[in-house]
Amino acid sequence: QKEVEQNSGPLSVPEGAIASLNCTYSDRGSQSFFWYRQYSGKSPELIMFIYSNGDKEDGRFTAQLNKASQYVSLLIRDSQPSDSATYLCAVNLGGNNRLAFGKGNQVVVIP
Amino acid sequence: GAGVSQSPSNKVTEKGKDVELRCDPISGHTALYWYRQSLGQGLEFLIYFQGNSAPDKSGLPSDRFSAERTGGSVSTLTIQRTQQEDSAVYLCASSRQRQLAGGEQFFGPGTRLTVL
């Protein structure tokens, strides 16, 4: 099993809808979880981080963490065309100071 | 500077040549990371520097790859005898000390390496 998996293919959502992205991780000792957004041809930028079980909201973004099931998700409410990007899930591996990244999910918001 | 800077932005080289990629982290950030990203792929960890500690080199794909960080600031990633499969975007990131356990990394714009 890969350290961080994002299995969904490209996600197309109409403008104003909710985009939902999921990520699973293998190391049960992981403590910190991050979502990065990467526009085409650009470098990743951090949009959310979460450490505790439950939900964390920041504007139109909500991160959800379930450590027992080893998954973390990202919801984008009221999706806008400017949200069209690839979203990378990253997990701090337990006892390690580096992040493991998933391959990313491409989101396309259709006006 | 305000952010992480990398140079060159683009590098085209011939197979077998050596290349050096430079990263200048955000001032005051003690942690520095190198990744590479191939087309359509996620970020592949290469190496991590934290202060004066020995670097974590566990991600380097072969002994042709090496990196150093001088004076706890600027880092250079060197690829010797480049191969076509080394073609990728090489990203550098920095973060503050371990408080967030490796998180909130700020990325530079990357160096696009093309090996002909």
Side-chain angles (χ1 to χ4, degrees), chain B residues 10-116:
Chain B
N10 279 285
K11 177 71 176 179
V12 180
T13 190
E14 294 179 347
K15 178 181 174 181
K17 300 282 189 182
D18 298 351
V19 295
E20 284 190 353
L21 312 180
R22 176 189 168 104
C23 172
D24 201 339
I26 293 172
S27 178
H29 281 193
T30 57
L32 186 148
Y33 308 79
W34 282 99
Y35 298 89
R36 72 177 176 183
Q37 188 172 35
S38 302
L39 188 63
Q41 299 297 308
L43 275 72
E44 176 188 3
F45 167 77
L46 297 177
I47 189 169
Y48 157 60
F49 295 90
Q50 172 62 57
N52 295 321
S53 302
D56 176 355
K57 303 180 182 180
S58 59
L60 294 179
S62 78
D63 58 8
R64 295 186 295 105
F65 288 72
S66 63
E68 62 178 20
R69 189 179 183 190
T70 54
S73 179
V74 172
S75 177
T76 302
L77 176 70
T78 300
I79 309 173
Q80 295 178 311
R81 305 181 302 282
T82 52
Q83 303 295 312
Q84 289 181 331
E85 59 263 30
D86 298 335
S87 297
V89 175
Y90 288 80
L91 289 161
C92 175
S94 70
S95 68
R96 293 185 183 278
Q97 203 160 342
R98 300 176 183 182
Q99 62 199 45
L100 293 180
E104 197 160 17
Q105 297 180 17
F106 295 85
F107 284 83
T111 293
R112 181 175 298 278
L113 175 66
T114 303
V115 181
L116 301 177

Side-chain angles (χ1 to χ4, degrees), chain A residues 18 37 47-49 55-63 74-80 83:
Chain A
I18 296 175
R37 178 177 62 199
I47 54 171
M48 289 286 289
F49 60 88
D55 295 1
K56 179 181 178 183
E57 188 173 315
D58 184 359
R60 296 185 294 108
F61 298 97
T62 299
L74 179 70
L75 301 177
I76 308 173
R77 292 183 302 282
D78 188 24
S79 296
Q80 302 297 308
D83 296 326

Side-chain angles (χ1 to χ4, degrees), chain A residues 2 31-32 34 36 38 41-46 49 51 86 88 91-93 96-104, chain B residues 33 35 37 40-43 45 48 50 56 58 91 98-110 112:
Chain A
K2 293 184 179 178
Q31 299 292 321
S32 315
F34 306 84
Y36 284 78
Q38 187 174 25
K42 301 294 185 182
S43 54
E45 57 178 329
L46 180 69
F49 60 88
Y51 305 137
T86 295
L88 301 169
V91 176
N92 165 242
L93 303 180
N96 197 311
N97 283 318
R98 68 173 179 88
L99 295 180
F101 284 82
K103 287 188 175 182
Chain B
Y33 308 79
Y35 298 89
Q37 188 172 35
Q41 299 297 308
L43 275 72
F45 167 77
Y48 157 60
Q50 172 62 57
D56 176 355
S58 59
L91 289 161
R98 300 176 183 182
Q99 62 199 45
L100 293 180
E104 197 160 17
Q105 297 180 17
F106 295 85
F107 284 83
R112 181 175 298 278

